Amino acid sequence: MSYYEITGGRSLSGSLAIHGAKNSVLPILAACLLASGQSVIQNCPDLSDVSTTLDILRLLGCRADREGDTVVIDTTGLTRCDIPECLMREMRSSVIFLGALLARLGEAELSYPGGCELGPRPIDLHLTALRALGAEIMEEQGVLCCQGREKLEGREIYLPIPSVGATENAMLAACGCAGVTTIVGAAQEPEIIDLQGFLQAMGARVTGAGTERLSIEGGAPLHPAQYRVMGDRIAAVTYLCAAAAAGGEVEVTGVPPETLTAVLSCLREAGCTLRTGPDWAVLTSCGPLHGISTVRTAPYPGFPTDAQAILMAALAGGEGATLFVENMFDSRYRHVDELRRMGADIRIAGRAAMVSGVGKLHEAAVRSTDLRGGAALVVAALAAEGTSQVSELRHIRRGYQALDRNLRTLGADIRQIP
Ligand code: EPZ
């Protein structure tokens, strides 16, 4: 089992081009199924979740070839509509194939998805939305059998929670429906705008992404497309938080800073200087971080739940107190026990976590508990005294391409021990 060995205390400096967004590329790769032929996806990050998605596409009969950061998906040979449990369990976003397969083939058979353990992650909203469009969905021993052939029809769908995945699933299914679908209460995340961009490139009539009301005029014949995926906003804030915690000056490029606003304003309040341009942000550290006003996770444009652990790790080694409130997932504080091993003073009460900065964390052997929790431990170790080990890197590989190499480029002392 490999792990990172990180000697903390080195300040970071330099510039990093941020890889394509995991949470954009996964639904975009599923959306390739909507048209027969060869789509070209650029800025496709090399992540284990992307590899799993490519494996699913191959299993369904498609070709999927990577050259550098470009992936070519040829869906001409699409023959199957069933995805085995072992692939479904690998990641949460495997469920997005439901909408894509229904739209293209009118049927799908798959089991419940896996993914990071952040507490219960139901898919009831996905299923309700697809049923509203006319799909018949039966659950038999954990397998979802979905039929929609010649029955799918555009409707108004209301999402009581702006679920990212349910919005994406409904968008893809709606492309295969006759008539107009309106999704009210849609998620407004930048990744939804990116998915809309790809669907429009395929010829779909989708509008409204980035607002709470999306409209999809279904039935238009779609064609394969070439598309460049947006930069990963959570990877960008991970490197900025690393510089905020360890000290130094770091630039991230390839990500529009307006997608980072909630996190950048916290970093500013904690004492860092930030400059931004059209697709870049530069953070300059100005000494130890101080406590900031309550950080409440919320749907976009609120503070992203995916950045909660990472900012917490940076502030835990700073000075002063900060209250975090996790509103999105029931169990997204699993990194806290590991941070405590490094000397962090964090008290949890239900959804709230009170972080009292201890000035400096110390070395420890810690274990990634999930994707962002793992990244948080790396951030903590970069700023801590001594040499720490971060294990269970499989979680980190789901969402970060070459995290250790990128940090070394910035001057960090981090090695992967096989
Ligand atoms: C997406 O997950 C992201 N994953 C997550 O990123 C991210 O944390 C999350 O959105 C919130 O921003 C991908 O895009 C692949 P949701 P998703 O449906 O779509 C509840 C990362 O670290 N809900 O918006 O699964 C749900 O329990 C990951 O990169 C239902 O109740 O999130 C949660 O409380 C992890 N029923 C809330 O909605 C449903 O049917 C938001 O979840 C669906 C969701």
Side-chain angles (χ1 to χ4, degrees):
M1 199 174 61
S2 63
Y3 60 92
Y4 287 149
E5 191 169 87
I6 303 168
T7 302
R10 288 216 191 176
S11 68
L12 307 181
S13 77
S15 180
L16 277 183
I18 299 299
H19 59 68
K22 167 180 85 81
N23 292 345
S24 274
V25 77
L26 300 178
I28 285 175
L29 288 170
C32 290
L33 288 181
L34 296 180
S36 177
Q38 204 171 288
S39 284
V40 179
I41 310 301
Q42 296 161 322
N43 204 24
C44 180
D46 192 3
L47 309 171
S48 60
D49 275 8
V50 170
S51 303
T52 304
T53 305
L54 299 184
D55 284 344
I56 292 176
L57 286 165
R58 290 187 190 109
L59 179 119
L60 295 172
C62 306
R63 278 198 62 166
D65 298 305
R66 174 187 282 279
E67 206 177 308
D69 69 356
T70 298
V71 164
V72 178
I73 307 294
D74 189 342
T75 64
T76 315
L78 175 68
T79 43
R80 287 176 64 166
C81 67
D82 59 310
I83 304 177
E85 190 183 354
C86 57
L87 285 172
M88 287 301 295
R89 279 196 178 282
E90 286 291 310
M91 55 174 192
R92 169 80 175 176
S93 64
S94 52
V95 74
I96 308 300
F97 278 95
L98 197 50
L101 285 166
L102 270 175
R104 175 78 190 282
L105 299 177
E107 55 185 337
E109 194 180 303
L110 35 84
S111 57
Y112 279 86
C116 282
E117 283 173 30
L118 313 174
R121 295 182 76 182
I123 56 167
D124 55 316
L125 301 175
H126 300 237
L127 302 185
T128 305
L130 298 178
R131 283 188 174 118
L133 295 175
E136 274 173 23
I137 306 177
M138 280 172 340
E139 300 176 50
E140 282 167 19
Q141 293 173 346
V143 176
L144 296 163
C145 299
C146 313
Q147 285 289 337
R149 213 182 286 272
E150 281 154 32
K151 288 184 211 138
L152 296 183
E153 213 180 307
R155 295 262 160 73
E156 183 169 276
I157 298 172
Y158 171 67
L159 294 178
I161 301 173
S163 157
V164 174
T167 302
E168 293 165 347
N169 236 334
M171 283 167 85
L172 298 193
C175 287
C177 292
V180 176
T181 299
T182 312
I183 307 173
V184 181
Q188 301 175 37
E189 267 67 2
E191 291 76 14
I192 303 288
I193 302 179
D194 219 21
L195 179 59
Q196 171 178 278
F198 179 60
L199 293 173
Q200 286 174 341
M202 295 179 91
R205 297 191 203 110
V206 186
T207 53
T211 73
E212 52 102 55
R213 196 181 180 90
L214 270 157
S215 166
I216 302 111
E217 208 180 313
L222 302 188
H223 51 77
Q226 181 167 323
Y227 192 76
R228 186 176 170 80
V229 175
M230 65 178 260
D232 194 306
R233 61 195 170 102
I234 304 299
V237 301
T238 303
Y239 293 110
L240 296 178
C241 286
E249 181 169 284
V250 163
E251 177 188 51
V252 290
T253 64
V255 181
E258 60 273 17
T259 64
L260 315 176
T261 304
V263 184
L264 298 191
S265 86
C266 290
L267 290 169
R268 227 175 243 127
E269 191 185 340
C272 302
T273 301
L274 280 137
R275 287 178 294 124
T276 57
D279 75 336
W280 55 265
V282 178
L283 178 141
T284 310
S285 136
C286 307
L289 297 175
H290 24 263
I292 59 175
S293 14
T294 304
V295 178
R296 296 174 203 280
T297 65
Y300 190 83
F303 188 92
T305 172
D306 295 348
Q308 173 255 108
I310 297 160
L311 180 67
M312 185 183 290
L315 293 174
E319 294 165 354
T322 303
L323 178 67
F324 283 77
V325 182
E326 171 55 56
N327 292 311
M328 302 297 290
F329 291 105
D330 286 348
S331 178
R332 214 168 187 181
Y333 286 139
R334 295 172 73 225
H335 52 281
V336 166
D337 275 345
E338 303 299 310
L339 287 174
R340 285 187 185 130
R341 287 172 188 264
M342 303 179 79
D345 178 355
I346 304 172
R347 273 162 298 150
I348 297 180
R351 292 188 170 274
M354 176 56 89
V355 180
S356 302
V358 292
K360 199 109 184 131
L361 299 176
H362 58 69
E363 65 185 21
V366 288
R367 212 170 47 83
S368 305
T369 49
D370 56 82
L371 164 56
R372 307 303 170 187
L377 298 176
V378 171
V379 167
L382 290 168
E385 264 164 7
T387 301
S388 298
Q389 289 89 31
V390 180
S391 61
E392 301 281 355
L393 302 184
R394 67 196 160 90
H395 293 296
I396 294 177
R397 288 193 199 104
R398 297 185 51 197
Y400 294 89
Q401 182 175 315
L403 180 64
D404 53 336
R405 199 176 63 215
N406 286 338
L407 288 167
R408 268 196 304 280
T409 309
L410 299 176
D413 185 346
I414 172 170
R415 287 189 304 153
Q416 185 173 323
I417 311 291

